[in-house]
């Protein structure tokens, strides 16, 4: 018999009371009778892993879930920036920075606009533009410099395309300028911890926001990568940031959550999060996975150069899709979209691109 107590996402509670429910996701054309659609998408589940701090996991039928938890795990997610979330969407990374870990210095001015339009042709449905590197050890950039890097590029892309544009920033001033230039959503790696005023900007503009889990700041986060239980600690931290966003007036349906692969996490932390990624659907939000070209892929895949990590990046992305992730934030848009479409076609999943 399961112990009573708060359900997942209801707060930290005591180690003995809090229970977390991870759907055991499948991505297959054959579904058993009674299987549940995961977040309204092509992945499904009929069993759930029950987790708790200091407790051995157990597996239960999905029909034994608390009603509120089952609703959060199965409800179709609302559109984000006009995009349906029933099938995975590709977010193309466009860093207009000199020092990003993978493509720093590659794109600026007209080259950045050309790259954005090329990613759209390749199948990206969102372009994520960043003017400040948040890689481990990166130095902070002033808001004025970040605005100078991003706002003109956003305006130039908007003049050529109606593609949804995300501004990747921790700062309210930068977000305000980006939204004025034509951006349609905000991606905050600090989840409003760095600049609480950013929540007011997002709420006032009525745009979606991605809240990513991170700790400390880029200069110190890897040195402080310590958790009691990385999976449950990240889940609880994101639940707390969602509560902050909702208190500011941002609807949960317009919140995207990102477990922050590589941000204040060791290789083992990253793998623990990826293996049980489907847990995060219990927060009732769209889930974004940003693992493209990350260091752990190079470590496992023996590729020192970030641009040589395509194979590993695709492997991680496709596993995310099998666990119901709705948005993949990637550098290699054409290859990722092709991989998603082929996986969907081979598996018989609905909503593939041909």
């Amino acid at each position: 018999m399961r112990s009573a107590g708060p359900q997942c996402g209801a707060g930290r509670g005591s180690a003995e009371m809090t229970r977390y429910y991870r759907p055991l996701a499948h991505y297959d054309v054959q579904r058993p009778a009674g299987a549940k659609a995961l977040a309204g998408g092509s992945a499904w589940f009929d069993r759930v892993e029950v987790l708790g701090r200091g407790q051995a996991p157990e597996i239960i039928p999905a029909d034994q879930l608390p009603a509120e938890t089952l609703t959060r795990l199965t409800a179709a997610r609302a559109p984000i920036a006009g995009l349906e979330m029933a099938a995975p969407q590709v977010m193309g990374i466009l860093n207009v920075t000199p020092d990003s870990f993978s493509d720093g210095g590659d794109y600026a001015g007209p080259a950045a606009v050309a790259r954005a339009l090329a990613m759209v042709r390749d199948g990206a449905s969102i372009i994520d533009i960043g003017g400040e590197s948040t890689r481990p050890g990166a130095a902070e950039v002033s808001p004025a410099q970040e605005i100078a890097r991003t706002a003109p590029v956003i305006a130039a892309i908007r003049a050529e395309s109606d593609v949804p544009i995300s501004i990747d920033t921790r700062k309210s001033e930068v977000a305000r300028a980006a939204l004025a230039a034509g951006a349609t959503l905000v991606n905050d790696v600090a989840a409003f911890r760095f600049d609480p005023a950013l929540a007011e900007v997002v709420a006032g503009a009525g745009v979606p926001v991605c809240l990513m889990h991170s700790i400390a700041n880029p200069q110190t986060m890897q040195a402080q990568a310590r958790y009691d239980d990385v999976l449950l600690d990240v889940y609880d931290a994101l639940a707390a940031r969602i509560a902050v966003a909702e208190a500011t007036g941002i609807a949960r349906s317009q919140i995207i959550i990102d477990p922050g692969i590589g941000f204040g996490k060791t290789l083992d932390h990253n793998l623990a999060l990826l293996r049980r990624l489907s847990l995060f659907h219990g927060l009732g939000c769209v889930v974004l996975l940003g693992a493209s070209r990350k260091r752990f892929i190079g470590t496992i895949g023996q590729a020192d150069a970030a641009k040589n990590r395509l194979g590993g990046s695709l492997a991680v992305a496709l596993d995310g899709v099998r666990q119901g992730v709705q948005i993949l934030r990637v550098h290699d848009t054409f290859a990722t979209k092709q991989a998603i479409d082929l996986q969907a076609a081979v598996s018989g999943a609905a909503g593939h691109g041909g």
Side-chain angles (χ1 to χ4, degrees), residues 145-170:
Q145 186 174 16
E146 200 174 335
I147 290 169
R149 290 174 177 176
T150 57
V153 172
I154 291 168
I157 295 169
R158 182 55 69 233
E160 299 288 337
S161 173
D162 61 358
V163 64
I165 298 173
S166 167
I167 178 65
D168 179 0
T169 187
R170 303 177 289 169

Side-chain angles (χ1 to χ4, degrees), residues 138-353:
E140 185 179 337
V141 171
S142 72
Q145 186 174 16
E146 200 174 335
I147 290 169
R149 290 174 177 176
T150 57
V153 172
I154 291 168
I157 295 169
R158 182 55 69 233
E160 299 288 337
S161 173
D162 61 358
V163 64
I165 298 173
S166 167
I167 178 65
D168 179 0
T169 187
R170 303 177 289 169
K171 305 179 182 101
S172 56
E173 305 102 306
V174 178
R176 192 176 291 109
L179 294 170
T184 43
L185 63 106
V186 173
N187 180 11
D188 180 8
V189 300
F192 304 146
R193 291 185 304 105
F194 182 84
D195 182 359
L198 181 53
E200 298 288 349
V201 171
V202 171
V207 296
V209 64
C210 181
L211 303 177
M212 194 194 81
H213 176 270
S214 60
I215 57 173
N217 56 55
Q219 291 84 7
T220 63
M221 62 185 177
Q222 290 308 110
Q224 298 185 35
R226 293 181 293 274
Y227 302 90
D228 293 330
D229 180 316
V230 66
L231 181 72
L232 305 186
D233 288 355
V234 170
Y235 187 101
D236 286 346
L238 285 171
R241 302 319 296 169
I242 291 169
V244 169
E246 288 187 305
T248 313
I250 302 168
R252 186 179 290 253
S253 66
Q254 294 303 292
I255 298 172
I256 304 162
I257 56 101
D258 176 355
I261 301 299
F263 282 77
K265 283 97 176 173
T266 65
L267 184 150
D268 287 342
H269 292 149
N270 291 327
L271 293 178
L273 291 168
L274 291 170
R275 286 168 183 154
R276 287 182 161 90
L277 196 59
S278 59
L279 173 74
F280 293 96
H281 293 293
L283 292 167
C285 298
V286 166
V287 180
L288 180 149
L289 175 60
S292 178
R293 300 185 184 178
K294 292 286 175 73
R295 182 181 297 276
F296 81 97
I297 293 174
T299 300
I300 296 171
Q302 302 180 36
D304 289 338
K307 292 181 180 180
N308 291 336
R309 300 171 187 169
L310 173 60
S313 296
L314 292 177
V316 175
L318 290 180
D319 192 69
V321 171
R322 285 189 289 269
Q323 295 194 59
V325 165
Q326 290 96 354
I327 301 176
L328 297 170
R329 183 179 182 273
V330 303
H331 298 85
D332 301 287
T333 49
F334 180 82
T336 303
K337 183 63 166 62
Q338 185 182 75
I340 291 171
D341 288 348
L342 266 292
Q343 176 173 262
V346 170
S347 71
H352 67 80

Side-chain angles (χ1 to χ4, degrees), residues 13-101:
S14 69
E16 293 73 27
M17 298 287 282
T18 305
R19 302 173 75 81
Y20 304 78
Y21 300 95
R22 181 179 75 91
L24 302 184
H26 298 270
Y27 197 75
D28 191 278
V29 68
Q30 293 292 344
R31 299 190 184 197
K36 317 294 183 184
L38 181 55
S42 296
W44 55 268
F45 67 101
D46 58 358
R47 296 179 301 156
V48 177
E49 181 182 37
V50 184
L51 302 169
R53 295 177 184 276
Q55 301 174 7
E58 63 173 306
I59 305 297
I60 64 170
D63 288 338
Q64 292 183 16
L65 280 169
E68 181 181 356
T69 300
L70 183 60
T71 297
R72 280 199 175 175
L73 289 175
T74 58
R77 303 306 187 234
I80 296 290
L83 300 173
E84 295 295 328
M85 294 291 117
Q89 302 288 345
V90 174
M91 173 185 277
I93 299 168
L94 182 58
N95 289 315
V96 288
T97 58
D99 57 346
S100 291
F101 82 96

